[in-house]
Amino acid sequence: ETGVTQTPRHLVMGMTNKKSLKCEQHLGHNAMYWYKQSAKKPLELMFVYNFKEQTENNSVPSRFSPECPNSSHLFLHLHTLQPEDSALYLCASSQGERQDEQFFGPGTRLTVL
Amino acid sequence: AQSVSQHNHHVILSEAASLELGCNYSYGGTVNLFWYVQYPGQHLQLLLKYFSGDPLVKGIKGFEAEFIKSKFSFNLRKPSVQWSDTAEYFCAVNTIGDYKLSFGAGTTVTVRA
């Protein structure tokens, strides 16, 4: 256990559905991240939040919408996704200092039908 | 933006063999370097990191990595692998003052008993 939890662990959704992924960190960190992990491709950074403020949106389509209500919680709201969005979505957190190690959650395996 | 390349997609070796995984990055400035490991069904976790100082870094589980600035490389090594080292290994880089971690595509290591 890294102190970063994600729910659900698996999600199957249709292209017209709306769902949300949840991430919670119990480490007292100030920065949180969403990554997309597709098979045989490098992890892609999607969003960065530092002290609840979004500091990075890495050209992510608007069908992905992040929300960070406080430093411990991070959501990824999904709507009208495409089959190519199927992937493992990883949440991570770090203390906030830019050299800090990032701690990863177990991920949500998303399948879009 | 920096990019990270890992030379081997899949490495298969026997227990007690030595392991070396290559990692090269493309950025001319000062970097922080990381190796993460993902065991089957588990989350990404940090093996070791280099920020400054001794270019030979020792991590957990007997792993070490050497930063060679002139070659833009940060290769991971272990003198004698065990079956439990079967996992996917990711090299990652960020630059001073930047949260963003750039990951390589990963190397799958299979250790046969």
Side-chain angles (χ1 to χ4, degrees):
Chain A
E1 289 294 329
T2 60
V4 181
T5 58
Q6 290 185 244
T7 55
R9 294 294 305 275
H10 298 271
L11 178 62
V12 179
M13 59 187 288
M15 289 191 285
T16 58
N17 291 158
K18 289 185 180 182
K19 297 285 184 183
S20 295
L21 310 185
K22 179 183 176 182
C23 175
E24 184 173 359
Q25 57 95 0
H26 312 274
L27 301 168
H29 288 167
N30 296 310
M32 297 187 77
Y33 311 78
W34 279 117
Y35 288 88
K36 177 182 179 182
Q37 186 178 20
S38 304
K40 300 306 175 190
K41 292 175 66 176
L43 268 75
E44 300 171 50
L45 179 66
M46 300 174 73
F47 300 104
V48 181
Y49 278 81
N50 188 34
F51 290 96
K52 302 186 298 178
E53 299 296 320
Q54 188 179 129
T55 59
E56 183 78 25
N57 176 341
N58 210 23
S59 303
V60 180
S62 60
R63 57 185 183 270
F64 294 91
S65 174
E67 179 190 0
C68 188
N70 55 60
S71 294
S72 299
H73 294 86
L74 185 64
F75 295 89
L76 188 62
H77 303 300
L78 317 170
H79 65 98
T80 59
L81 294 192
Q82 305 297 311
E84 60 264 29
D85 296 322
S86 298
L88 183 68
Y89 288 84
L90 295 173
C91 174
S93 71
S94 66
Q95 182 61 38
E97 296 300 322
R98 288 165 180 179
Q99 295 189 110
D100 273 352
E101 170 190 354
Q102 292 181 20
F103 291 79
F104 285 81
T108 295
R109 173 69 62 189
L110 174 67
T111 302
V112 182
L113 301 177
Chain B
Q2 62 272 24
S3 65
V4 181
S5 61
Q6 294 183 236
H7 313 304
N8 311 99
H9 294 298
H10 194 180
V11 173
I12 303 172
L13 57 168
S14 301
E15 278 193 309
S18 63
L19 173 70
E20 180 160 359
L21 302 181
C23 172
N24 286 89
Y25 63 93
S26 64
Y27 182 73
T30 305
V31 294
N32 303 313
L33 299 152
F34 306 79
W35 274 99
Y36 281 84
V37 61
Q38 190 171 30
Y39 297 103
Q42 295 190 28
H43 56 265
L44 272 166
Q45 54 187 288
L46 185 71
L47 266 183
L48 48 80
K49 59 188 177 184
Y50 172 81
F51 291 161
S52 63
D54 189 342
L56 185 62
V57 179
K58 294 195 183 299
I60 61 170
K61 305 189 181 189
F63 285 91
E64 65 179 30
E66 185 176 12
F67 171 49
I68 303 179
K69 189 174 180 179
S70 61
K71 295 184 178 181
F72 299 90
S73 69
F74 190 55
N75 292 353
L76 180 71
R77 297 193 292 253
K78 184 169 183 177
S80 176
V81 295
Q82 300 172 310
W83 175 82
S84 57
D85 293 321
T86 294
E88 192 156 13
Y89 293 80
F90 295 90
C91 182
V93 175
N94 70 358
T95 56
I96 298 297
D98 191 349
Y99 291 106
K100 290 184 293 184
L101 270 179
S102 295
F103 282 84
T107 298
T108 302
V109 173
T110 302
V111 180
R112 291 180 172 157

